[in-house]
Amino acid sequence: YCRPFATPTNMNMQFTDLALHPAILAALDAQGYQSPTPIQSQTIPLILQGSDVLGGAQTGTGKTAAFTLPMLQRLLEQPKPLQPRQVRCLILTPTRELAQQVADNVQSYGQHLPLRYAVFYGGVSINPQLEAAEQGIDILIATPGRLLDHLHQRSLDLFQLEILVLDEADRMLDMGFIHDIKRIMAKLPETRQTLLFSATFSKEIKELADSLLKQPVLVEVARANSTAS
Ligand code: AMP
């Protein structure tokens, strides 16, 4: 994997140095964020330019904004009317709790944007999800099992997916989701941007990354609470 150059300017980067829409910057300001975290300043430019990214980052590093902010920006740059059941960006998470957290982030960063978001997980009625799916979704945050239910019912399709994110991929493998992930992958278009985030890089994660990512850039940051950071 190639690594981005860590330039000294990275360290003092401001959100306004990143090519983000004013409405996104306004949302960050409202959240009280002053400057990007290291994973954000390294990853956001790469995602904006269309690279696949293999991100080594734990919870607490700001990794969620690192992939959701450039995703929102790319959707804004290429507006498309949604077709029924279409999904433009998919964020897969291992648990409902994480799905809901990521969805809350997407909702707050994208609150001023004309985009449709949805979060689908199991253990709740599928009916409201079916209604949301029918209209098409710009950003779907989902757990693997419930997403497969939708794909089997053909309430959603991923033929036109533009960006795929696997968040906390190591936890997904630990929880035994590898077969579900492979079933989902079989339904994705070849041409897409893929981002994989994981706190650890086992042999299994590397294999998964090799099978999903194309010429990815590796970005790793230290633990948020370590002295190194
Ligand atoms: P995450 O690692 O994505 O779970 O984010 C950890 C926490 O950091 C969340 O509560 C975010 O709202 C917050 N956060 C993310 N990016 C920034 C930033 N640039 N400045 C301040 N807080 C942030």
Side-chain angles (χ1 to χ4, degrees):
Y1 300 108
C2 65
R3 292 164 188 270
F5 292 111
T7 57
T9 50
N10 261 351
M11 318 218 353
N12 305 314
M13 193 182 264
Q14 297 302 306
F15 278 115
T16 45
D17 298 328
L18 298 163
L20 297 173
H21 190 280
I24 301 177
L25 293 175
L28 295 175
D29 202 47
Q31 290 281 310
Y33 295 5
Q34 287 173 347
S35 53
T37 65
I39 188 86
Q40 291 165 5
S41 55
Q42 293 185 65
T43 309
I44 292 172
L46 293 167
I47 299 177
L48 290 176
Q49 77 188 28
S51 297
D52 280 7
V53 171
L54 179 57
Q58 324 233 342
T59 298
T61 54
K63 69 176 164 68
T64 315
F67 58 81
T68 54
L69 299 175
M71 178 183 280
L72 291 167
Q73 177 67 26
R74 282 181 69 90
L75 288 169
L76 284 179
E77 284 169 5
Q78 297 177 349
K80 277 185 200 155
L82 286 170
Q83 290 164 13
R85 297 175 293 283
Q86 175 187 7
V87 179
R88 294 191 65 189
C89 300
L90 171 65
I91 303 171
L92 279 179
T93 70
T95 64
R96 299 179 210 177
E97 292 73 20
L98 183 62
Q100 191 59 57
Q101 266 175 43
V102 172
D104 293 345
N105 278 279
V106 169
Q107 181 63 45
S108 80
Y109 306 141
Q111 58 188 305
H112 305 299
L113 308 179
L115 297 169
R116 283 179 49 83
Y117 319 115
V119 54
F120 289 2
Y121 44 73
V124 297
S125 164
I126 201 167
N127 293 327
Q129 299 177 1
L130 294 175
E131 274 171 44
E134 183 55 36
Q135 299 171 60
I137 300 165
D138 287 292
I139 301 182
L140 174 65
I141 303 99
T143 50
R146 182 54 66 94
L147 177 66
L148 277 172
D149 291 343
H150 281 277
L151 295 175
H152 290 147
Q153 295 193 28
R154 299 187 192 279
S155 46
L156 279 179
D157 70 63
L158 300 176
F159 310 134
Q160 300 179 76
L161 191 80
E162 293 161 56
I163 306 179
L164 168 70
V165 181
L166 282 105
D167 192 16
E168 303 201 358
D170 46 357
R171 272 177 79 200
M172 279 198 259
L173 297 192
D174 289 346
M175 291 172 69
F177 282 131
I178 187 67
H179 297 295
D180 285 355
I181 291 173
K182 287 194 170 148
R183 277 182 214 120
I184 294 165
M185 296 311 133
K187 305 204 182 276
L188 301 180
E190 231 348 75
T191 309
R192 57 162 203 264
Q193 183 174 20
T194 308
L195 314 169
L196 187 152
F197 287 83
S198 187
T200 56
F201 289 120
S202 62
K203 183 166 152 278
E204 288 75 22
I205 287 290
K206 285 183 193 130
E207 278 167 12
L208 183 67
D210 285 344
S211 68
L212 290 179
L213 303 165
K214 292 203 179 99
Q215 298 174 307
V217 183
L218 174 67
V219 178
E220 278 180 291
V221 297
R223 277 176 172 278
N225 59 355
S226 77
T227 40
S229 70

